[in-house]
Amino acid sequence: MTAANFCPSPSTTTNTTTLNVHSIESFGTYDGPGIRLVIFLQGCPFQCLYCANPDTMAYGEGTNMDIEELVKKAVNMKPYFSNGGGVTISGGEACSQAKGLIPLFKRLKEEGIHTCLDTNGYIFNKYVEELLTYTDLVLLDVKHIDDEKHKVITKRSNKKVLDFAKYLEEQQKVFWLRYVLVPGLSNEEKDLHALGAHFKNYQQIQKLEIQPYHKLGVHKWEHLGMEYPLKDTPENTPEQLKVAKSIFEQYAAEVVVN
């Protein structure tokens, strides 16, 4: 699979000295190993029904930050990275700004800082291809294994996502698989088995993370004057999480519930 077969990215016009940033979390512990500086970029091609950060969807509405300013923040945090931590780029969709991320990741590698890319895998082009050469770990968010259900959740097909995963496997790029378990939407046992079976022979998947469904971002939808689509969907029961974990453990070496 070559870069030309994938969707183009808004990053083709991104200023390579700045990134359009939504927000920054200084001591993140859920987006990669160890303690991390998590940089959330603005803009995403998906419109996930349960998005916890709907304010990151629109492109160009964040704050433009100089790459060297971000490197400085990371360097200042290096003492906290001793337990395997580093910098994670998330979103929105990080690969939307892949062109600008290349010089950032280059600089982070020069400083000896672990780099992690959190992506939904939808965007792939020559910039993403190059960015991955400077990426230590990928967190790949697969929303659903069934294409039609994936379209319901994100308004997009999952074909490019699965191609992205295949590319990571072929390039021997280590990644974690992340899956949000939404009652009535992505927790059917047959779908969990189908996802597990699809990835069971992948050697580069280091871990499968189950992310419980929550409603922490509902107030953001309301603030934006948007109706939250899953307002009647309950959060996971302990039994649902237990069942999902037991199913995925039949296919993956390590399964965790975040």
Side-chain angles (χ1 to χ4, degrees):
M1 189 62 65
T2 63
N5 294 323
F6 289 81
C7 178
S9 159
S11 65
T12 54
T13 58
T14 298
N15 186 327
T16 57
T17 63
T18 64
L19 289 167
N20 195 238
V21 176
H22 171 267
S23 57
I24 298 175
E25 183 179 357
S26 296
F27 289 90
T29 57
Y30 291 101
D31 297 296
I35 294 173
R36 311 193 68 81
L37 176 69
V38 186
I39 301 170
F40 297 90
L41 301 186
Q42 186 71 33
C44 183
F46 281 6
Q47 300 175 45
C48 295
L49 297 178
Y50 50 75
C51 182
N53 296 300
D55 47 338
T56 68
M57 290 183 183
Y59 286 97
E61 294 189 1
T63 301
N64 290 327
M65 296 188 66
D66 187 83
I67 285 172
E68 284 303 318
E69 180 183 354
L70 296 172
V71 172
K72 183 178 179 180
K73 289 179 179 293
V75 170
N76 288 340
M77 279 194 64
K78 279 187 76 173
Y80 300 99
F81 297 157
S82 59
N83 63 343
V87 174
T88 295
I89 304 297
S90 187
E93 172 46 46
C95 289
S96 292
Q97 299 184 51
K99 186 176 181 179
L101 284 174
I102 292 169
L104 173 63
F105 271 28
K106 282 184 177 179
R107 286 287 292 112
L108 293 175
K109 298 311 297 176
E110 290 173 1
E111 297 291 344
I113 295 174
H114 183 275
T115 56
C116 182
L117 182 70
D118 182 10
T119 176
N120 60 36
Y122 188 76
I123 294 173
F124 192 97
N125 52 41
K126 65 180 182 180
Y127 301 115
V128 177
E129 192 170 21
E130 182 177 355
L131 176 63
L132 288 171
T133 66
Y134 302 103
T135 303
D136 294 312
L137 175 67
V138 176
L139 308 180
L140 181 61
D141 298 286
V142 177
K143 310 300 183 182
H144 211 292
I145 194 62
D146 181 275
D147 192 42
E148 292 306 312
K149 293 178 181 178
H150 191 277
K151 290 175 184 176
V152 170
I153 295 172
T154 70
K155 305 296 187 290
R156 302 280 189 174
S157 169
N158 70 2
K159 296 187 184 302
K160 291 172 183 175
V161 179
L162 299 181
D163 281 344
F164 193 100
K166 183 179 179 182
Y167 179 83
L168 295 177
E169 178 70 11
E170 292 173 344
Q171 298 299 311
Q172 298 185 355
K173 179 63 64 176
V174 175
F175 65 106
W176 294 1
L177 202 61
R178 311 179 104 186
Y179 188 79
V180 181
L181 195 72
V182 185
L185 196 60
S186 62
N187 72 322
E188 287 191 39
E189 293 187 21
K190 65 180 181 64
D191 292 326
L192 302 183
H193 279 291
L195 185 141
H198 181 89
F199 289 108
K200 69 177 181 179
N201 293 323
Y202 276 56
Q203 300 300 307
Q204 301 306 313
I205 296 178
Q206 194 175 69
K207 180 188 298 186
L208 192 157
E209 292 186 324
I210 299 171
Q211 299 182 309
Y213 168 69
H214 62 74
K215 296 185 176 181
L216 298 179
V218 174
H219 69 284
K220 296 181 182 180
W221 287 76
E222 295 172 347
H223 179 74
L224 293 170
M226 301 163 61
E227 183 176 355
Y228 183 65
L230 302 182
K231 59 184 179 181
D232 296 324
T233 300
E235 296 187 352
N236 301 114
T237 65
E239 181 62 22
Q240 288 172 338
L241 295 171
K242 181 180 178 181
V243 168
K245 188 172 186 291
S246 67
I247 290 175
F248 285 145
E249 284 176 336
Q250 297 175 41
Y251 305 96
E254 181 180 0
V255 181
V256 299
V257 178
N258 269 357

